[in-house]
Amino acid sequence: MDGTGVPDAAPPPAPPPTHHPVGHVPPDRLRRARWSVAVVFLVHGSVTGSFATRVPWIQDHAQISAGQLGLALAFPAIGASLAMPLAGRISHRLGARTALRLLLALWTLSLTLPALSPNLYGLCGALLVYGATAGMADVAMNALGVETEDRLGKPIMSGLHGMWSVGALLGSAAGTAAAHAATDARLHLAVAAAVTTVLGAVACQGVLDLRSTPDEHPPPRFALPPKSALVIGAIGFCAVFAEGASLDWSAVYLRDVLDTDAGLAAASTTAFSCTMAVARLAGDRVVARFGPVRTVRVSGVLATVGGLLIVLARHPAMALTGFALIGLGIAVVVPLAFAAAGRSGPAPSQAIAGVATITYTSGLIAPSAIGSIAQATSLTGSFLLVTVLACGLFVGAGVLRAPGRSAAGRGTAPAGGPERP
């Protein structure tokens, strides 16, 4: 009552909240986030493709031998392995969107460094930075991809990695054109860095801006991968080993073992790359229908059959089919390994960094391991090992089984914390 004795009027109804409950993101916002992170993957892949095409120019500019180049090319993996654990701490401090914007820009701008290196020591240092920024951006974008997938409630990781493959193809196509035109790699890579930096900054505006909760402890600067990441990483190791072996040795296999000409030998790499890219772009529908475990078991069978065709090949067509089947079989494994790592515990960035470290290591040792085994036995014997590892995908697929953590985007707060309103 007021002072006159007349009852107070009923208070007006409370206005509706101006923000969404913790963990909930509107569907249109999620769709935008999905396509934004897809462009981020495309940008990341295009940087890799751009660099790969100018390695011969960089070698000539630095005046180094093939052996010295091989040494220098180990430094990106070393830098990535050392720096990837830091990505989770940076995301914790800055938030997912700001961290990704920063790390992606460092990665795209680092593309200019290798072409500026005047000698072996400068090139090793440039590639160490190049690999470190690549690895941290890789962890940040995969962690955001997993969170976006959880909130959407349907698989998208295979498609995101398919966009990476598309970016690598676009970057390599532009680099091939620049090399064919005898364009100075310093100019070409500077332009590529500028374009990808701008495109990446625009794309990062649309990704989810996840923030750590106030009571969440920051991840350690350096830590051993959690046990769950080691088990999941073993599956990724098998897939990336087969990928590295096929990319680097398929043309050599057709030339040396089956005595084909250079053009047909190069077609093996094309067959492998194309089937892998197409399978990744289509993989989300397959995973949504059959689940990650059944999908990887079938993938393991396909990759194993492909390996057997290569080992038993007496005609180039048989080996070409084998490399195409390996590309088809391993395509979705790494995306599903990252997704499983992101759901395997309370620290998704740390788990993803662990899996990424294992897969990067596999990609580093695969080409040299194939060469060493070939020298001790034969190139056919090397691909027998690839076939055995492909069979491991079928055996170990169960570790990718999705836990009941997320209810896949139904309003629960994911491990990455709420999005900033």
Side-chain angles (χ1 to χ4, degrees):
M1 287 188 179
D2 62 14
T4 62
V6 179
D8 294 331
T18 57
H19 60 276
H20 297 278
V22 170
H24 176 77
V25 182
D28 58 339
R29 175 76 185 84
L30 277 176
R31 285 191 293 270
R32 181 189 174 199
R34 174 186 180 176
W35 290 111
S36 295
V37 76
V39 174
V40 168
F41 272 76
L42 184 143
V43 167
H44 197 285
S46 68
V47 174
T48 302
S50 299
F51 167 75
T53 59
R54 305 318 304 265
V55 169
W57 189 99
I58 292 168
Q59 179 185 6
D60 291 342
H61 179 69
Q63 298 180 336
I64 58 177
S65 66
Q68 290 172 323
L69 176 63
L71 172 65
L73 290 177
F75 276 78
I78 295 171
S81 299
L82 292 174
M84 280 189 292
L86 296 174
R89 194 173 184 90
I90 295 171
S91 294
H92 176 88
R93 180 180 294 271
L94 302 179
R97 180 190 294 166
T98 302
L100 180 61
R101 185 188 295 122
L102 171 65
L103 295 175
L104 187 64
L106 290 175
W107 158 237
T108 55
L109 292 173
S110 73
L111 179 60
T112 62
L113 298 178
L116 300 176
S117 304
N119 52 42
L120 175 63
Y121 300 107
L123 182 59
C124 289
L127 291 178
L128 187 74
V129 174
Y130 174 85
T133 54
M136 289 190 292
D138 198 337
V139 171
M141 71 187 191
N142 273 285
L144 261 174
V146 171
E147 294 292 354
T148 305
E149 179 178 85
D150 279 354
R151 293 173 184 241
L152 279 168
K154 60 181 180 181
I156 65 168
M157 288 299 292
S158 179
L160 294 181
H161 282 255
M163 290 294 288
W164 190 96
S165 298
V166 170
L169 289 172
L170 291 175
S172 62
T176 300
H180 184 71
T183 304
D184 190 301
R186 289 168 293 192
L187 175 60
H188 161 227
L189 296 182
V191 172
V195 171
T196 53
T197 299
V198 172
L199 183 58
V202 172
C204 287
Q205 288 296 108
V207 303
L208 296 176
D209 190 18
L210 302 173
R211 300 279 174 163
S212 301
T213 56
D215 59 344
E216 185 177 339
H217 294 291
R221 289 182 177 87
F222 293 99
L224 292 174
K227 187 178 296 185
S228 59
L230 294 176
V231 177
I232 296 168
I235 296 295
F237 181 94
C238 293
V240 174
F241 192 98
E243 179 181 353
S246 298
L247 280 174
D248 289 355
W249 286 94
S250 57
V252 178
Y253 191 95
L254 264 77
R255 184 194 65 190
D256 292 355
V257 177
L258 300 176
D259 197 26
T260 62
D261 60 70
L264 187 57
S268 63
T269 305
T270 303
F272 173 84
S273 300
C274 287
T275 54
M276 189 166 70
V278 170
R280 280 182 169 177
L281 291 172
D284 290 325
R285 293 183 180 181
V286 177
V287 175
R289 180 165 183 177
F290 298 106
V293 175
R294 291 167 65 187
T295 299
V296 172
R297 282 182 178 152
V298 173
S299 297
V301 171
L302 291 174
T304 302
V305 171
L308 289 173
L309 287 176
I310 294 166
V311 170
L312 300 175
R314 295 295 178 267
H315 190 275
M318 193 171 175
L320 285 170
T321 303
F323 283 113
L325 283 176
I326 288 181
L328 187 64
I330 67 173
V332 301
V333 177
V334 171
L336 290 177
F338 278 123
R343 303 187 186 101
S344 64
S349 291
Q350 185 179 343
I352 289 172
V355 170
T357 300
I358 295 169
T359 56
Y360 268 71
T361 302
S362 179
L364 174 64
I365 69 173
S368 59
I370 293 296
S372 298
I373 296 170
Q375 187 171 359
T377 58
S378 67
L379 202 49
T380 301
S382 297
F383 275 89
L384 185 59
L385 173 61
V386 172
T387 305
V388 171
L389 292 176
C391 188
L393 299 177
F394 175 85
V395 175
V399 303
L400 302 180
R401 183 171 286 107
R405 169 179 94 68
S406 72
R410 296 173 189 158
T412 57
E419 187 187 23
R420 187 176 182 179

